[in-house]
Amino acid sequence: MPDGHPKETSHELGKVILTALNDRQTGWSMGSFGAIAEFHQVEGDPGALWPDVFTRVTDRGGVAFTDLTDCTAVAYETLSPKPDRWGQSVALCLPEAAARMSRHKVLTALGPDHGALLPEHRGAMLFDMGLDQPQVDFCIRTDDPQLIDVLTQAEGQSLFTPGNPAMPAILAAHPHRIAVTRIGRVEVFQKIGGPDTGGKSPVGPHTHILPKLMATGRTHSANTPIPDGLVPVAGLHPASALSDQLGRDKPWDPAAFAAFQALFRDWAPSGQAELKALVRDLIAAGSQPDVFAPPPGRHMRAAVRIAIRQAAREDGETPTLSAWRALFDGAAKPEDLPPEHPA
């Protein structure tokens, strides 16, 4: 890993990422629509190591940023099926051409992982899983001679070919999973979620590989409002005002809410922050909802509904707010569907 700061064009973005890396409540992800690696720090664990300024590593995994050149941040919110909730994230995006990775279609040996976050892992062997994803090379890393032998014999084949022994061997051995993108990488040291983990992903860093989502050929969920021409390669997941890192309810956190809203005002897709502010102003003024004509588009409709939910959280229920909710956030709509991606 190079020392010091990653290359970047936006000092503000680098500053935000560095601040977030120092916040144990912030989560991170890198990957694609259907193949993703997540890094979270776990309460009670020792603090993360700092191999360099833009890298954090724990006993469970790590995240590193190496090149923020041409990186664009897109802050967005998503509807929750629960009527009083919403999700939030910051997508770190690159232009399509700049985001493109190797797109290996078969299991491919890459040699020792010289880019490993920790020196003790740099002699282990790296294998591209051959998932053919546009913005991530999804790899496994191992120094297990038996697993290396199985993977070497299966090189050049798809992991999903019936009868290929490589995937069962991977699931049994639990090698490190490495998501490599043009802006950095996430490493996961923990076991793969499955029978050995009680059928659940382990707490903290973990991975998801979902062939049905990968088969769509999309780079991201339809619920994620990424501008045309950009591809999300990583996600910054700040602390929620509503729930903890495990998704459990917590008391309303106004500081966490304000912190994300500041990012949203700067980095939201065009018009969304202004639309939410307008809705909040109209509700605060006691205006009835029939004076408002919502703009078209699923993401703009979702922004209206999220503004109503946030008004309820911050200001409490009022007759005016109830009228807005009944008109715009009552019956289930297509955008109520949860994101296709579990992350």
mmCIF file with all atom_site columns, all heavy atoms in Angstrom, residues 207-223:
data_model
loop_
_atom_site.group_PDB
_atom_site.id
_atom_site.type_symbol
_atom_site.label_atom_id
_atom_site.label_alt_id
_atom_site.label_comp_id
_atom_site.label_asym_id
_atom_site.label_entity_id
_atom_site.label_seq_id
_atom_site.pdbx_PDB_ins_code
_atom_site.Cartn_x
_atom_site.Cartn_y
_atom_site.Cartn_z
_atom_site.occupancy
_atom_site.B_iso_or_equiv
_atom_site.pdbx_formal_charge
_atom_site.auth_seq_id
_atom_site.auth_comp_id
_atom_site.auth_asym_id
_atom_site.auth_atom_id
_atom_site.pdbx_PDB_model_num
ATOM 1   N N   . THR A 1 207 ? -19.304 -10.588 3.243   1.00 0.00 ? 207 THR A N   1
ATOM 2   C CA  . THR A 1 207 ? -19.489 -10.471 1.795   1.00 0.00 ? 207 THR A CA  1
ATOM 3   C C   . THR A 1 207 ? -20.829 -11.062 1.386   1.00 0.00 ? 207 THR A C   1
ATOM 4   O O   . THR A 1 207 ? -21.403 -11.898 2.087   1.00 0.00 ? 207 THR A O   1
ATOM 5   C CB  . THR A 1 207 ? -18.370 -11.204 1.028   1.00 0.00 ? 207 THR A CB  1
ATOM 6   O OG1 . THR A 1 207 ? -18.249 -12.544 1.529   1.00 0.00 ? 207 THR A OG1 1
ATOM 7   C CG2 . THR A 1 207 ? -17.041 -10.493 1.193   1.00 0.00 ? 207 THR A CG2 1
ATOM 8   N N   . HIS A 1 208 ? -21.310 -10.604 0.217   1.00 0.00 ? 208 HIS A N   1
ATOM 9   C CA  . HIS A 1 208 ? -22.490 -11.183 -0.420  1.00 0.00 ? 208 HIS A CA  1
ATOM 10  C C   . HIS A 1 208 ? -22.150 -11.455 -1.880  1.00 0.00 ? 208 HIS A C   1
ATOM 11  O O   . HIS A 1 208 ? -21.629 -10.571 -2.575  1.00 0.00 ? 208 HIS A O   1
ATOM 12  C CB  . HIS A 1 208 ? -23.680 -10.220 -0.381  1.00 0.00 ? 208 HIS A CB  1
ATOM 13  C CG  . HIS A 1 208 ? -24.177 -9.897  0.995   1.00 0.00 ? 208 HIS A CG  1
ATOM 14  N ND1 . HIS A 1 208 ? -24.905 -10.780 1.752   1.00 0.00 ? 208 HIS A ND1 1
ATOM 15  C CD2 . HIS A 1 208 ? -24.047 -8.773  1.746   1.00 0.00 ? 208 HIS A CD2 1
ATOM 16  C CE1 . HIS A 1 208 ? -25.210 -10.222 2.911   1.00 0.00 ? 208 HIS A CE1 1
ATOM 17  N NE2 . HIS A 1 208 ? -24.698 -9.001  2.932   1.00 0.00 ? 208 HIS A NE2 1
ATOM 18  N N   . ILE A 1 209 ? -22.445 -12.655 -2.342  1.00 0.00 ? 209 ILE A N   1
ATOM 19  C CA  . ILE A 1 209 ? -22.382 -12.976 -3.768  1.00 0.00 ? 209 ILE A CA  1
ATOM 20  C C   . ILE A 1 209 ? -23.735 -13.550 -4.149  1.00 0.00 ? 209 ILE A C   1
ATOM 21  O O   . ILE A 1 209 ? -24.130 -14.616 -3.662  1.00 0.00 ? 209 ILE A O   1
ATOM 22  C CB  . ILE A 1 209 ? -21.250 -13.968 -4.086  1.00 0.00 ? 209 ILE A CB  1
ATOM 23  C CG1 . ILE A 1 209 ? -19.892 -13.329 -3.794  1.00 0.00 ? 209 ILE A CG1 1
ATOM 24  C CG2 . ILE A 1 209 ? -21.321 -14.417 -5.548  1.00 0.00 ? 209 ILE A CG2 1
ATOM 25  C CD1 . ILE A 1 209 ? -18.718 -14.237 -4.048  1.00 0.00 ? 209 ILE A CD1 1
ATOM 26  N N   . LEU A 1 210 ? -24.453 -12.830 -5.001  1.00 0.00 ? 210 LEU A N   1
ATOM 27  C CA  . LEU A 1 210 ? -25.829 -13.172 -5.345  1.00 0.00 ? 210 LEU A CA  1
ATOM 28  C C   . LEU A 1 210 ? -25.939 -13.304 -6.865  1.00 0.00 ? 210 LEU A C   1
ATOM 29  O O   . LEU A 1 210 ? -26.102 -12.314 -7.583  1.00 0.00 ? 210 LEU A O   1
ATOM 30  C CB  . LEU A 1 210 ? -26.775 -12.090 -4.823  1.00 0.00 ? 210 LEU A CB  1
ATOM 31  C CG  . LEU A 1 210 ? -26.667 -11.822 -3.307  1.00 0.00 ? 210 LEU A CG  1
ATOM 32  C CD1 . LEU A 1 210 ? -27.482 -10.612 -2.917  1.00 0.00 ? 210 LEU A CD1 1
ATOM 33  C CD2 . LEU A 1 210 ? -27.108 -13.049 -2.518  1.00 0.00 ? 210 LEU A CD2 1
ATOM 34  N N   . PRO A 1 211 ? -25.827 -14.529 -7.380  1.00 0.00 ? 211 PRO A N   1
ATOM 35  C CA  . PRO A 1 211 ? -25.796 -14.728 -8.841  1.00 0.00 ? 211 PRO A CA  1
ATOM 36  C C   . PRO A 1 211 ? -26.997 -14.150 -9.576  1.00 0.00 ? 211 PRO A C   1
ATOM 37  O O   . PRO A 1 211 ? -26.851 -13.651 -10.698 1.00 0.00 ? 211 PRO A O   1
ATOM 38  C CB  . PRO A 1 211 ? -25.730 -16.254 -8.976  1.00 0.00 ? 211 PRO A CB  1
ATOM 39  C CG  . PRO A 1 211 ? -25.054 -16.710 -7.715  1.00 0.00 ? 211 PRO A CG  1
ATOM 40  C CD  . PRO A 1 211 ? -25.578 -15.785 -6.651  1.00 0.00 ? 211 PRO A CD  1
ATOM 41  N N   . LYS A 1 212 ? -28.189 -14.195 -8.978  1.00 0.00 ? 212 LYS A N   1
ATOM 42  C CA  . LYS A 1 212 ? -29.362 -13.671 -9.678  1.00 0.00 ? 212 LYS A CA  1
ATOM 43  C C   . LYS A 1 212 ? -29.241 -12.173 -9.929  1.00 0.00 ? 212 LYS A C   1
ATOM 44  O O   . LYS A 1 212 ? -29.653 -11.675 -10.984 1.00 0.00 ? 212 LYS A O   1
ATOM 45  C CB  . LYS A 1 212 ? -30.631 -13.980 -8.877  1.00 0.00 ? 212 LYS A CB  1
ATOM 46  C CG  . LYS A 1 212 ? -31.033 -15.451 -8.901  1.00 0.00 ? 212 LYS A CG  1
ATOM 47  C CD  . LYS A 1 212 ? -32.353 -15.666 -8.188  1.00 0.00 ? 212 LYS A CD  1
ATOM 48  C CE  . LYS A 1 212 ? -32.777 -17.133 -8.241  1.00 0.00 ? 212 LYS A CE  1
ATOM 49  N NZ  . LYS A 1 212 ? -34.073 -17.356 -7.541  1.00 0.00 ? 212 LYS A NZ  1
ATOM 50  N N   . LEU A 1 213 ? -28.693 -11.450 -8.964  1.00 0.00 ? 213 LEU A N   1
ATOM 51  C CA  . LEU A 1 213 ? -28.512 -10.015 -9.165  1.00 0.00 ? 213 LEU A CA  1
ATOM 52  C C   . LEU A 1 213 ? -27.404 -9.749  -10.176 1.00 0.00 ? 213 LEU A C   1
ATOM 53  O O   . LEU A 1 213 ? -27.531 -8.864  -11.030 1.00 0.00 ? 213 LEU A O   1
ATOM 54  C CB  . LEU A 1 213 ? -28.196 -9.328  -7.838  1.00 0.00 ? 213 LEU A CB  1
ATOM 55  C CG  . LEU A 1 213 ? -29.280 -9.371  -6.762  1.00 0.00 ? 213 LEU A CG  1
ATOM 56  C CD1 . LEU A 1 213 ? -28.895 -8.462  -5.604  1.00 0.00 ? 213 LEU A CD1 1
ATOM 57  C CD2 . LEU A 1 213 ? -30.635 -8.973  -7.316  1.00 0.00 ? 213 LEU A CD2 1
ATOM 58  N N   . MET A 1 214 ? -26.316 -10.500 -10.095 1.00 0.00 ? 214 MET A N   1
ATOM 59  C CA  . MET A 1 214 ? -25.233 -10.309 -11.059 1.00 0.00 ? 214 MET A CA  1
ATOM 60  C C   . MET A 1 214 ? -25.712 -10.572 -12.477 1.00 0.00 ? 214 MET A C   1
ATOM 61  O O   . MET A 1 214 ? -25.271 -9.922  -13.433 1.00 0.00 ? 214 MET A O   1
ATOM 62  C CB  . MET A 1 214 ? -24.055 -11.221 -10.715 1.00 0.00 ? 214 MET A CB  1
ATOM 63  C CG  . MET A 1 214 ? -23.335 -10.831 -9.435  1.00 0.00 ? 214 MET A CG  1
ATOM 64  S SD  . MET A 1 214 ? -21.781 -11.725 -9.198  1.00 0.00 ? 214 MET A SD  1
ATOM 65  C CE  . MET A 1 214 ? -22.377 -13.396 -8.946  1.00 0.00 ? 214 MET A CE  1
ATOM 66  N N   . ALA A 1 215 ? -26.636 -11.523 -12.629 1.00 0.00 ? 215 ALA A N   1
ATOM 67  C CA  . ALA A 1 215 ? -27.116 -11.892 -13.960 1.00 0.00 ? 215 ALA A CA  1
ATOM 68  C C   . ALA A 1 215 ? -27.906 -10.776 -14.628 1.00 0.00 ? 215 ALA A C   1
ATOM 69  O O   . ALA A 1 215 ? -28.093 -10.789 -15.851 1.00 0.00 ? 215 ALA A O   1
ATOM 70  C CB  . ALA A 1 215 ? -27.969 -13.154 -13.877 1.00 0.00 ? 215 ALA A CB  1
ATOM 71  N N   . THR A 1 216 ? -28.368 -9.780  -13.864 1.00 0.00 ? 216 THR A N   1
ATOM 72  C CA  . THR A 1 216 ? -29.109 -8.673  -14.474 1.00 0.00 ? 216 THR A CA  1
ATOM 73  C C   . THR A 1 216 ? -28.208 -7.790  -15.327 1.00 0.00 ? 216 THR A C   1
ATOM 74  O O   . THR A 1 216 ? -28.694 -7.051  -16.188 1.00 0.00 ? 216 THR A O   1
ATOM 75  C CB  . THR A 1 216 ? -29.778 -7.800  -13.399 1.00 0.00 ? 216 THR A CB  1
ATOM 76  O OG1 . THR A 1 216 ? -28.767 -7.136  -12.623 1.00 0.00 ? 216 THR A OG1 1
ATOM 77  C CG2 . THR A 1 216 ? -30.659 -8.642  -12.478 1.00 0.00 ? 216 THR A CG2 1
ATOM 78  N N   . GLY A 1 217 ? -26.898 -7.826  -15.060 1.00 0.00 ? 217 GLY A N   1
ATOM 79  C CA  . GLY A 1 217 ? -25.976 -6.982  -15.808 1.00 0.00 ? 217 GLY A CA  1
ATOM 80  C C   . GLY A 1 217 ? -25.981 -5.533  -15.380 1.00 0.00 ? 217 GLY A C   1
ATOM 81  O O   . GLY A 1 217 ? -25.309 -4.697  -15.999 1.00 0.00 ? 217 GLY A O   1
ATOM 82  N N   . ARG A 1 218 ? -26.696 -5.207  -14.313 1.00 0.00 ? 218 ARG A N   1
ATOM 83  C CA  . ARG A 1 218 ? -26.768 -3.825  -13.849 1.00 0.00 ? 218 ARG A CA  1
ATOM 84  C C   . ARG A 1 218 ? -25.617 -3.522  -12.901 1.00 0.00 ? 218 ARG A C   1
ATOM 85  O O   . ARG A 1 218 ? -25.084 -4.413  -12.239 1.00 0.00 ? 218 ARG A O   1
ATOM 86  C CB  . ARG A 1 218 ? -28.107 -3.590  -13.148 1.00 0.00 ? 218 ARG A CB  1
ATOM 87  C CG  . ARG A 1 218 ? -29.291 -3.729  -14.087 1.00 0.00 ? 218 ARG A CG  1
ATOM 88  C CD  . ARG A 1 218 ? -30.604 -3.697  -13.347 1.00 0.00 ? 218 ARG A CD  1
ATOM 89  N NE  . ARG A 1 218 ? -30.725 -2.489  -12.534 1.00 0.00 ? 218 ARG A NE  1
ATOM 90  C CZ  . ARG A 1 218 ? -31.790 -2.226  -11.789 1.00 0.00 ? 218 ARG A CZ  1
ATOM 91  N NH1 . ARG A 1 218 ? -32.793 -3.077  -11.740 1.00 0.00 ? 218 ARG A NH1 1
ATOM 92  N NH2 . ARG A 1 218 ? -31.843 -1.113  -11.090 1.00 0.00 ? 218 ARG A NH2 1
ATOM 93  N N   . THR A 1 219 ? -25.252 -2.257  -12.825 1.00 0.00 ? 219 THR A N   1
ATOM 94  C CA  . THR A 1 219 ? -24.172 -1.858  -11.929 1.00 0.00 ? 219 THR A CA  1
ATOM 95  C C   . THR A 1 219 ? -24.675 -1.471  -10.545 1.00 0.00 ? 219 THR A C   1
ATOM 96  O O   . THR A 1 219 ? -23.889 -1.403  -9.603  1.00 0.00 ? 219 THR A O   1
ATOM 97  C CB  . THR A 1 219 ? -23.387 -0.667  -12.506 1.00 0.00 ? 219 THR A CB  1
ATOM 98  O OG1 . THR A 1 219 ? -24.278 0.451   -12.681 1.00 0.00 ? 219 THR A OG1 1
ATOM 99  C CG2 . THR A 1 219 ? -22.749 -1.035  -13.842 1.00 0.00 ? 219 THR A CG2 1
ATOM 100 N N   . HIS A 1 220 ? -25.992 -1.220  -10.411 1.00 0.00 ? 220 HIS A N   1
ATOM 101 C CA  . HIS A 1 220 ? -26.526 -0.812  -9.118  1.00 0.00 ? 220 HIS A CA  1
ATOM 102 C C   . HIS A 1 220 ? -28.037 -0.983  -9.118  1.00 0.00 ? 220 HIS A C   1
ATOM 103 O O   . HIS A 1 220 ? -28.666 -1.166  -10.165 1.00 0.00 ? 220 HIS A O   1
ATOM 104 C CB  . HIS A 1 220 ? -26.162 0.644   -8.803  1.00 0.00 ? 220 HIS A CB  1
ATOM 105 C CG  . HIS A 1 220 ? -26.623 1.628   -9.836  1.00 0.00 ? 220 HIS A CG  1
ATOM 106 N ND1 . HIS A 1 220 ? -25.929 1.860   -11.000 1.00 0.00 ? 220 HIS A ND1 1
ATOM 107 C CD2 . HIS A 1 220 ? -27.720 2.432   -9.887  1.00 0.00 ? 220 HIS A CD2 1
ATOM 108 C CE1 . HIS A 1 220 ? -26.569 2.767   -11.725 1.00 0.00 ? 220 HIS A CE1 1
ATOM 109 N NE2 . HIS A 1 220 ? -27.661 3.125   -11.067 1.00 0.00 ? 220 HIS A NE2 1
ATOM 110 N N   . SER A 1 221 ? -28.611 -0.909  -7.935  1.00 0.00 ? 221 SER A N   1
ATOM 111 C CA  . SER A 1 221 ? -30.053 -1.052  -7.766  1.00 0.00 ? 221 SER A CA  1
ATOM 112 C C   . SER A 1 221 ? -30.806 0.109   -8.409  1.00 0.00 ? 221 SER A C   1
ATOM 113 O O   . SER A 1 221 ? -30.326 1.253   -8.427  1.00 0.00 ? 221 SER A O   1
ATOM 114 C CB  . SER A 1 221 ? -30.380 -1.101  -6.267  1.00 0.00 ? 221 SER A CB  1
ATOM 115 O OG  . SER A 1 221 ? -31.756 -0.901  -6.036  1.00 0.00 ? 221 SER A OG  1
ATOM 116 N N   . ALA A 1 222 ? -32.006 -0.173  -8.887  1.00 0.00 ? 222 ALA A N   1
ATOM 117 C CA  . ALA A 1 222 ? -32.855 0.887   -9.430  1.00 0.00 ? 222 ALA A CA  1
ATOM 118 C C   . ALA A 1 222 ? -33.258 1.885   -8.355  1.00 0.00 ? 222 ALA A C   1
ATOM 119 O O   . ALA A 1 222 ? -33.659 3.011   -8.666  1.00 0.00 ? 222 ALA A O   1
ATOM 120 C CB  . ALA A 1 222 ? -34.107 0.277   -10.064 1.00 0.00 ? 222 ALA A CB  1
ATOM 121 N N   . ASN A 1 223 ? -33.149 1.500   -7.089  1.00 0.00 ? 223 ASN A N   1
ATOM 122 C CA  . ASN A 1 223 ? -33.492 2.404   -5.995  1.00 0.00 ? 223 ASN A CA  1
ATOM 123 C C   . ASN A 1 223 ? -32.371 3.384   -5.668  1.00 0.00 ? 223 ASN A C   1
ATOM 124 O O   . ASN A 1 223 ? -32.550 4.265   -4.827  1.00 0.00 ? 223 ASN A O   1
ATOM 125 C CB  . ASN A 1 223 ? -33.826 1.591   -4.738  1.00 0.00 ? 223 ASN A CB  1
ATOM 126 C CG  . ASN A 1 223 ? -35.067 0.753   -4.915  1.00 0.00 ? 223 ASN A CG  1
ATOM 127 O OD1 . ASN A 1 223 ? -36.044 1.200   -5.501  1.00 0.00 ? 223 ASN A OD1 1
ATOM 128 N ND2 . ASN A 1 223 ? -35.032 -0.474  -4.429  1.00 0.00 ? 223 ASN A ND2 1
#
